[in-house]
Amino acid sequence: MGVKEMVEYVVENPKRSTTLKAVWEKNGGILIAAACLVFIVLAWSLERNGYTAGAIAGFVLAYAVGGYRKAREGLETLIKEKDLDVDLLMVVAAIGAASIGYWLDGAVLIFIFCLSGALEDYSMEKTNQDIAAILKYRPEEAVRLIDGKEEKTQASALQKGDLVLVRPGERIPCDGIITEGSSAVDQATITGEAIPVDKTLNDIVFAGTMNGQGALRIIVTQAAGDTLLSRIIHMVQEAKNELPPSQQFVERFEGIYAKSVVGLAILLMVLPPFLLDWTWEATIYRAMIFLVVASPCALVSSIMPAILSGISNAARRGVLFKGGIHLEQIGNVSTVVFDKTGTLTEGKPKVTDIRPADGFTEEELLRLAASLEKLSRHPIATAVVDYSEAQGIGLDPASAMQAVTGMGVSGLVNGIPCRLGKRGLLINLTLTDEQLTVAEALESEGKTVIFVEHGGQFAGMFAVQDILRAEAAHAVRQLKKMNKRVVMLTGDAQHTAEAIGKLAGIEEIYAGMLPDGKLEVIRRLSQSYGKVAMVGDGVNDAPALAAASVGIAMGAAGSDVALETANVVLMNDDITRIPYAISLGRRTSRVIKQNITFALAVILILVVSNFAGGINLPSGVVSHEGSTLAVILSGLRLLR
């Protein structure tokens, strides 16, 4: 369950969310560890005061509460998979310690392993809501036209060749081609384009995109299961099911380690009386010491405290890791890939340049444009009106506003005919070479140029652009200083992409990318350069986010799909935190390696000392627990 869904659940179900069942499902592991600790403290107190029977009962309860879950999981692995794991080994080691009278030592071993498992479960919990989040973009119903009559049907029932009607403000239910009508279609969910695209006769549209102000008739070209949105869903499912290589290694190592320890313990229980003339009592004693000192408490604790500390450190700085594996992975990325719209840029067009013609001032040009655009809901119109209001410019009366398909708008301002839009809309006006040069220069910068006509006279032009985030160039420079390859992907045109890339300092650019194209680029970069981090914010980025070694989503501007699919979330959309996150990942990996080396060294020394007869059980337990405490404290360094 994602953060948003969790909040909605609590709001809509205030009673159910506070039930014991809900609390248990969320915090069961921590509660078990806490109960185990309570019984250990109680038993220890009773033992110190001479109540031996009560102390043993307390220790038994601690063993039962803390060890039941791990013992069950270990036995299930042994029975079903014919394999040994660390869970069962830890329980056996603890029982071995208790069998020769060291109840407290065994109980502490159980508690540490139980707590570690609970924290690991909590920190590694991943959401499975990404597919459900994507599905909400798929319309439930469609209006099919049969012999000119409207018929409501399920969008999933549409077949190739069907004719559908899409009214203004509705989601398009299919992939298809427009046969009648025109409109501005917001297809950011598919292509990532910040500005709606004008669509008219014979243009292609995609399921899940939002129709603007015009009614459309569309002939279906793909069945529901073959639409681009359906393919996005499939790609996310496929990429999310891939098990990280590091996780596979951990699972393999755990099985090998457990089998090795158990095998050696059995040999140690059988061979010494025959090979070394040990007594059976001494043999069993040494075997129990071996099980204790070889138990993987320190080894297990080498990883999770460091991971959890790193995650906590990152959270304080607005970077949310969804699992410990991603903190390790991000430290090893060689390439960082950015989506453009909403990631490197703010995702909303803004007025950047105002060029009034002779006889007009900037204020007059803005008042004219904003007065006419006030009647439109197009994002460019919103940008013009917002900019005008920010400048404190009042609006003139406007009327008879009409959208000119794919070109702009026309209407009356103070009763005078006006037009505003692309150059082709002002077909009766002749612009000077100087004015055309200015327009071409603005367009070469990746900006959209809007021309304004007032009463048959050219009033001027202005430009709008999706603005680069203030921190984007700095973030890119920091990544390059870390010797990271920086790449930009976008669904926008090449000249627009190159203009933004130049401002951000990115040379490697892939423009005109649909979701499957972005996914292919991520896979190709991964094969060529190793681990890749993908930074995005939209539904169209979901397959690439899922396929990347580390998917990073924008928390404030990002879609629900991106947030659920990504491994890391930038809670305040600050992309300068990406270099910090990579550095933290490196530090975490370094601390983990140090801890593992130390833990293995201590185990090796204690095992050798045990065979040489240099330690007794109490000193073995103290040394073992001391090493566990040491690696935990080492991991906590990452809280700084």
Side-chain angles (χ1 to χ4, degrees):
M1 181 180 289
V3 174
K4 180 179 178 182
E5 288 79 5
M6 193 177 295
V7 172
E8 290 175 349
Y9 180 86
V10 171
V11 172
E12 296 171 4
N13 305 274
K15 294 182 179 179
R16 291 180 60 193
S17 65
T18 57
T19 62
L20 289 175
K21 181 179 179 182
V23 172
W24 178 258
E25 288 177 353
K26 184 178 179 182
N27 303 302
I30 296 294
L31 292 175
I32 289 173
C36 179
L37 179 61
V38 169
F39 285 126
I40 290 174
V41 173
L42 176 62
W44 175 75
S45 299
L46 290 172
E47 186 178 48
R48 290 198 63 185
N49 288 283
Y51 299 103
T52 306
I56 292 177
F59 284 128
V60 169
L61 287 173
Y63 276 64
V65 171
Y68 171 76
R69 181 180 173 187
K70 294 297 182 183
R72 186 188 64 187
E73 292 174 357
L75 288 172
E76 286 178 352
T77 301
L78 181 63
I79 295 171
K80 294 180 180 179
E81 302 177 20
K82 311 299 182 187
D83 199 4
L84 290 170
D85 62 13
V86 175
D87 293 338
L88 188 59
L89 178 60
M90 174 56 67
V91 173
V92 171
I95 293 174
S99 68
I100 53 177
Y102 291 92
W103 289 91
L104 178 60
D105 303 290
V108 170
L109 291 175
I110 287 286
F111 167 70
I112 292 175
F113 199 59
C114 176
L115 179 61
S116 176
L119 293 175
E120 184 176 356
D121 289 343
Y122 183 80
S123 67
M124 296 295 287
E125 180 182 358
K126 291 174 65 70
T127 178
N128 291 318
Q129 300 298 315
D130 45 6
I131 305 304
I134 294 177
L135 288 174
K136 77 177 185 179
Y137 289 96
R138 185 189 298 175
E140 294 290 333
E141 295 183 340
V143 177
R144 183 162 48 193
L145 297 175
I146 301 177
D147 297 329
K149 296 182 179 180
E150 297 182 12
E151 174 190 272
K152 279 193 175 183
T153 185
Q154 293 294 314
S156 58
L158 292 176
Q159 298 294 322
K160 188 175 180 179
D162 286 347
L163 184 65
V164 299
L165 172 66
V166 183
R167 294 185 171 86
E170 293 181 345
R171 283 202 181 272
I172 295 174
C174 60
D175 284 7
I177 297 175
I178 297 174
T179 61
E180 184 180 324
S182 60
S183 184
V185 177
D186 182 355
Q187 50 188 38
T189 55
I190 300 297
T191 67
E193 293 170 281
I195 298 175
V197 179
D198 292 320
K199 299 281 187 176
T200 187
L201 188 66
N202 295 326
D203 283 341
I204 297 173
V205 292
F206 302 108
T209 56
M210 182 65 75
N211 185 27
Q213 76 279 8
L216 300 175
R217 293 194 177 198
I218 302 168
I219 188 165
V220 179
T221 57
Q222 298 287 349
D226 298 322
T227 64
L228 186 57
L229 185 61
S230 295
R231 295 204 303 275
I232 291 176
I233 294 171
H234 174 72
M235 285 186 287
V236 171
Q237 285 175 321
E238 189 177 64
K240 292 284 279 184
N241 287 333
E242 295 176 359
L243 192 64
S246 58
Q247 185 63 34
Q248 297 175 12
F249 172 78
V250 168
E251 291 178 0
R252 288 197 303 269
F253 179 78
E254 180 180 336
I256 294 170
Y257 184 89
K259 290 175 182 177
S260 300
V261 170
V262 170
L264 288 172
I266 292 173
L267 290 176
L268 188 56
M269 285 183 179
V270 175
L271 296 181
F274 302 102
L275 299 180
L276 303 174
D277 293 328
W278 288 8
T279 65
W280 285 106
E281 182 179 352
T283 299
I284 294 174
Y285 184 72
R286 290 296 166 193
M288 290 302 99
I289 294 176
F290 175 78
L291 281 175
V292 171
V293 300
S295 63
C297 271
L299 194 59
V300 172
S301 297
S302 297
I303 299 174
M304 286 315 301
I307 291 291
L308 293 171
S309 297
I311 289 175
S312 176
N313 187 324
R316 292 200 304 269
R317 289 164 175 78
V319 182
L320 177 62
F321 284 89
K322 291 187 178 180
I325 188 66
H326 312 306
L327 181 58
E328 291 184 273
Q329 291 275 58
I330 200 170
N332 297 319
V333 298
S334 62
T335 305
V336 180
V337 180
F338 288 95
D339 169 54
K340 181 185 78 69
T341 305
T343 303
L344 286 173
T345 66
E346 296 180 0
K348 297 179 181 179
K350 291 186 178 181
V351 176
T352 58
D353 302 88
I354 304 171
R355 298 287 188 270
D358 292 340
F360 291 86
T361 65
E362 286 190 9
E363 182 176 338
E364 289 171 339
L365 179 61
L366 270 176
R367 178 181 289 110
L368 181 62
S371 298
L372 189 58
E373 293 279 44
K374 183 69 174 179
L375 303 177
S376 174
R377 297 171 61 185
H378 196 283
I380 290 181
T382 302
V384 174
V385 174
D386 288 347
Y387 185 84
S388 178
E389 290 177 349
Q391 301 299 314
I393 298 174
L395 302 182
D396 292 333
S399 60
M401 194 279 286
Q402 290 185 340
V404 181
T405 303
M407 299 299 289
V409 295
S410 64
L412 302 175
V413 177
N414 283 325
I416 300 175
C418 297
R419 288 186 292 182
L420 179 153
K422 296 180 180 179
R423 172 72 182 89
L425 186 64
L426 282 62
I427 192 170
N428 296 322
L429 294 182
T430 301
L431 273 64
T432 66
D433 291 341
E434 182 180 355
Q435 290 167 337
L436 290 173
T437 300
V438 170
E440 290 173 359
L442 292 172
E443 289 175 345
S444 69
E445 296 173 2
K447 299 173 182 178
T448 300
V449 180
I450 307 298
F451 299 86
V452 182
E453 176 187 345
H454 178 250
Q457 181 182 1
F458 178 60
M461 69 186 87
F462 59 90
V464 297
Q465 187 179 40
D466 189 10
I467 303 299
L468 186 74
R469 290 183 183 273
E471 69 276 12
H474 175 68
V476 171
R477 285 196 300 272
Q478 290 298 109
L479 289 170
K480 287 185 175 180
K481 285 181 181 179
M482 300 171 73
N483 295 319
K484 304 301 178 187
R485 190 182 192 90
V486 183
V487 179
M488 185 177 79
L489 304 179
T490 179
D492 283 347
Q494 187 70 34
H495 71 276
T496 301
E498 289 177 351
I500 292 295
K502 184 177 181 180
L503 292 174
I506 301 175
E507 294 79 26
E508 189 169 351
I509 297 168
Y510 297 86
M513 292 280 106
L514 290 175
D516 51 354
K518 291 184 178 182
L519 177 61
E520 180 58 33
V521 170
I522 292 295
R523 286 176 172 168
R524 191 162 64 245
L525 290 172
S526 298
Q527 291 173 357
S528 301
Y529 305 107
K531 295 187 184 302
V532 174
M534 169 70 191
V535 191
D537 71 305
V539 177
N540 58 297
D541 300 319
L545 287 169
S549 303
V550 181
I552 305 173
M554 309 294 279
S559 67
D560 289 344
V561 178
L563 294 178
E564 298 296 344
T565 304
N567 311 123
V568 183
V569 178
L570 303 178
M571 299 307 293
N572 56 0
D573 290 355
D574 184 0
I575 59 177
T576 61
R577 293 302 182 188
I578 296 174
Y580 151 77
I582 293 174
S583 177
L584 180 63
R586 285 177 175 176
R587 286 179 55 207
T588 302
S589 295
R590 192 161 55 245
V591 169
I592 289 173
K593 289 176 183 177
Q594 292 169 355
N595 287 351
I596 290 175
T597 301
F598 175 75
L600 290 175
V602 170
I603 289 175
L604 180 61
I605 291 170
L606 291 176
V607 168
V608 171
S609 298
N610 180 45
F611 277 109
I615 60 171
N616 56 24
L617 185 56
S619 62
V621 170
V622 169
S623 300
H624 180 268
E625 297 306 321
S627 67
T628 300
L629 180 60
V631 296
I632 290 175
L633 293 175
S634 174
L636 295 180
R637 288 183 294 161
L638 291 167
L639 286 172
R640 293 180 301 177

